[in-house]
Each structure stands twice: as C-alpha cells, then as structure tokens.
C-alpha cells in the first residue's frame, strides 16, 4: 500500500486548490498517483485545475537568445541558487546559448562545439572544478522561420537574456521586421504568463483531449445527466478548454477584450502583411525535475561539525 505523505498532499493542494482532506482522499483512492488524483478531484467538482502545475525544483538559469529569423532556449542547471548569481556561471550560460544559436539545439553538437580552443563540454567541466558545484546542460530547443522574426522574453531575468523562465515565439511574415519583433515580444510575454499547450486545437496531443473529454463526461455522468445531454455538455466544455490552453484562442494578456488570434489580425495592418505563429517554446527553470527537500539548518550544522539544536 502506498504511503501518502504530507508533501504529496501539499503538492496536490497547491496544484488544484482543493481542500487538504479531499486531496488526501484523492491520493488514497488512486494509490498516490498524482495525475489520477487530479482527475478524481475534478470529476467530483473539487478542483478547478485544468492541468497539474509542474513542480519547479532545480536551480540554474534558462537563456533565450534570438537573431533575426531564428532563436533558441537553453537550460543549464546547478545545485544551488547561489551559483545562478555567480558571474562565471552566468558567462557560461550566455556562451552556451550563443553556441546553440550557431550550431542548433542538438545537445551533443553543442557540447562538441569549440569556443576559445576548448569544447563546451570541457568548459562546463572547468566551471564545475572552479566553482565546486555540479552543473548540467539539461536541454535546448530552437525555432527558425524562412521569413519573419523570432522574438524572446525572459521572466525574472538575472542577467540580460537569462533568468528563471525563457520564451521564444516565431512569426512567419513578410511584414516589417521591427513591428514583427515588437509583436513577437508581446506574444512571448503572453506565453510566459498563460502557458498554452499548443497554438490551436489541432496541435494538442489527442491523448490530452481524450483525457479532458473523459473527465467532463464522468463528472456529469456522476450527476445523473443523460448520455445525449452529456455529449452536448462535453462539446461545450471542450470549447472552453481550448480557450484556456490554445494560444490563438486565449484572451490576450495585453488586451483581455480580444483573443490572441484577433490581436494578431489587427496587427497585420501595422506590420504590412499576414502573420502566422510558426511556433513557440517556453522553458521554466527546473520543470519536471524532482529535488529532495533538505533541512537547511541541519546542513549548516553538519557542515560545521555540530548537531542541529
């Protein structure tokens, strides 16, 4: 039998907004499976969460760098937040982002690329030896358009172009580059704030859509609704869901009275041509990485050879 810990209950409560006892019951009913527990709460109308928030646990920096029609995001992790404020580490991150912009997002190619006579992989190893803390180039991704621009936005920037979250948005258009870049920056800020799953419904994972349909159907089935009514409610619910998770259908954060699609359409006159979002990438530092919680006081006491009082 799976042990339901207080930390598990806390994580579920934070990601769903449900009550503590409800979260404990959900986890118990589902053998500690967090995703299944979220669905269990939603089916009972106890959670408004459309998706579980990823637990951000790693340290380091995310860099977002663009140049004309291409851009990259990279994540370099460290053990502590202290290192993220280290100038040597910050320089390393900027260098790796520039290399990724030049050679592409393949991690092996980035590590093998030479800068100043040494490979990036060796530069990381040297930084580990100098700073005394483990570091890893965790991931990288790139976008490029044939014509148009790729714009970026960094949230909680520690240095220019790197911080706790990095976003790039690619706009395919023959319009004015400067106007496109400004629009792209606004869209990148929107992506950072709204965290869409796809550009439009066609881009969603079919499994994700099916899961949403099943949750909606089961919720109203438990309320005793007839099947023909449930089908209509589910279709209506999906439309609402799409407005929450699809970029073009989301309310634009800079003007909530219009959708992102409407904002882009209005911008086409200013830009001087049709605009298409070719893609977007959003990296939040440490998302998907679990890190064991530690007792800081105990660590300090252990380091000084004393016992925690």
């Amino acid at each position: 039998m799976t042990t339901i810990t207080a930390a598990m209950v806390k994580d579920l409560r934070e990601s769903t907004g449900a009550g503590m006892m409800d979260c404990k019951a959900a986890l118990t009913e589902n053998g500690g499976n967090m995703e299944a527990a979220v669905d269990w709460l939603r089916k009972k109308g106890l959670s408004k969460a459309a998706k579980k928030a990823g637990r951000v646990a790693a340290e380091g920096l995310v860099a977002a760098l663009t140049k004309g029609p291409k851009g990259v995001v990279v994540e370099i992790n460290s053990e502590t937040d202290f290192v993220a404020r280290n100038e040597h580490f910050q320089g390393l991150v900027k260098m790796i982002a520039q290399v990724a912009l030049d050679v592409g997002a393949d991690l092996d190619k980035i590590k093998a690329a030479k800068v100043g006579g040494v490979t990036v992989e060796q530069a990381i190893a040297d930084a580990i030896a100098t700073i005394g803390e483990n570091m890893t180039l965790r991931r990288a991704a790139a976008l490029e358009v044939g014509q148009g621009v790729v714009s970026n936005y960094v949230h909680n920037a520690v240095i220019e172009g790197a911080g706790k979250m990095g976003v790039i948005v690619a706009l395919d258009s023959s319009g004015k580059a400067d106007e496109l870049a400004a629009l792209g920056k606004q869209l990148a800020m929107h992506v950072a704030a709204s965290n869409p799953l796809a550009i439009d419904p066609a881009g969603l994972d079919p499994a994700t859509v099916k899961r949403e349909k099943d949750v909606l159907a089961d919720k109203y089935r438990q309320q005793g609704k007839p099947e023909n009514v449930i089908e209509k409610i589910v279709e209506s619910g999906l439309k609402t869901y799409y407005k929450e998770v699809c970029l073009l259908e989301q309310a634009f954060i800079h003007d909530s009275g219009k959708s992102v699609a409407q904002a882009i359409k209005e911008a086409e006159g200013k830009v001087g041509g049709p605009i298409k979002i070719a893609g977007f990438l959003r990296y939040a530092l440490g998302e998907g990485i679990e890190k064991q919680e530690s007792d800081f006081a105990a660590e300090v006491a252990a380091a000084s050879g004393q016992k925690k009082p």
Side-chain angles (χ1 to χ4, degrees):
M1 183 177 177
T2 304
T3 300
I4 307 302
T5 66
M8 291 166 68
V9 175
K10 177 175 176 288
D11 286 345
L12 184 59
R13 187 181 184 187
E14 289 178 351
S15 67
T16 64
M20 187 177 296
M21 295 308 295
D22 291 325
C23 288
K24 185 175 181 180
L27 287 163
T28 301
E29 285 290 325
N30 293 279
N33 184 298
M34 193 69 70
E35 189 172 273
V38 170
D39 286 351
W40 188 89
L41 288 168
R42 294 183 62 213
K43 289 173 184 178
K44 293 187 175 297
L46 298 171
S47 168
K48 295 180 180 179
K51 52 187 180 298
K52 183 180 69 173
R55 183 182 175 189
V56 178
E59 304 299 343
L61 288 173
V62 171
L65 186 62
T66 63
K67 184 178 182 181
K70 63 181 181 178
V72 294
V73 282
V74 298
E75 179 178 355
I76 295 89
N77 294 132
S78 59
E79 292 180 46
T80 67
D81 185 52
F82 295 111
V83 170
R85 297 192 292 272
N86 180 288
E87 290 185 1
H88 187 163
F89 179 75
Q90 292 171 355
L92 179 70
V93 171
K94 292 178 72 173
M95 179 267 286
I96 292 174
Q98 183 59 59
V99 169
L101 191 64
D102 294 336
V103 306
D106 183 274
L107 293 185
D108 289 334
K109 288 184 178 179
I110 295 172
K111 291 176 182 177
K114 285 194 172 184
V115 178
V118 299
T119 64
V120 168
E121 187 168 31
Q122 184 60 51
I124 294 173
D126 291 345
I128 292 171
T130 301
I131 298 174
E133 186 169 308
N134 191 32
M135 303 165 203
T136 58
L137 168 57
R138 181 190 176 201
R139 54 180 177 162
L143 290 175
E144 187 170 358
V145 290
Q147 59 176 359
V149 302
V150 178
S151 296
N152 69 325
Y153 169 69
V154 173
H155 188 63
N156 286 336
V158 176
I159 55 172
E160 184 179 358
K164 300 296 184 182
M165 180 187 294
V167 178
I168 58 174
V169 175
L171 298 180
D172 190 337
S173 176
S174 59
K176 302 171 187 174
D178 56 340
E179 296 289 353
L180 276 175
L183 174 64
K185 179 67 173 289
Q186 285 190 322
L187 290 170
M189 293 174 72
H190 174 97
V191 169
S194 300
N195 193 18
L197 299 181
I199 295 174
D200 53 33
L204 288 170
D205 183 344
T208 300
V209 177
K210 182 180 183 303
R211 177 188 172 196
E212 188 65 22
K213 290 175 72 172
D214 290 345
V215 167
L216 289 170
D218 287 349
K219 178 180 178 180
Y220 291 104
R221 197 170 285 123
Q222 289 179 20
Q223 294 178 9
K225 304 284 186 184
E227 288 299 320
N228 63 322
V229 173
I230 289 176
E231 187 176 344
K232 293 178 181 178
I233 295 176
V234 168
E235 288 305 313
S236 176
L238 278 180
K239 289 179 181 178
T240 300
Y241 176 68
Y242 294 152
K243 289 180 180 179
E244 294 173 354
V245 302
C246 295
L247 176 55
L248 291 176
E249 299 195 22
Q250 288 178 330
F252 194 35
I253 64 165
H254 301 283
D255 185 349
S256 59
K258 63 185 70 170
S259 67
V260 170
Q262 290 171 329
I264 291 173
K265 193 66 180 175
E266 288 182 12
E268 290 181 344
K270 194 173 183 180
V271 169
I275 304 169
K276 176 186 176 183
I277 297 181
F280 70 86
L281 293 166
R282 179 185 186 273
Y283 276 10
L285 180 65
E287 58 192 350
I289 299 177
E290 295 290 341
K291 185 175 73 174
Q292 185 177 2
E293 292 185 11
S294 60
D295 185 330
F296 185 69
E299 287 183 7
V300 172
S304 62
Q306 301 173 355
K307 290 184 178 180
K308 180 182 174 183

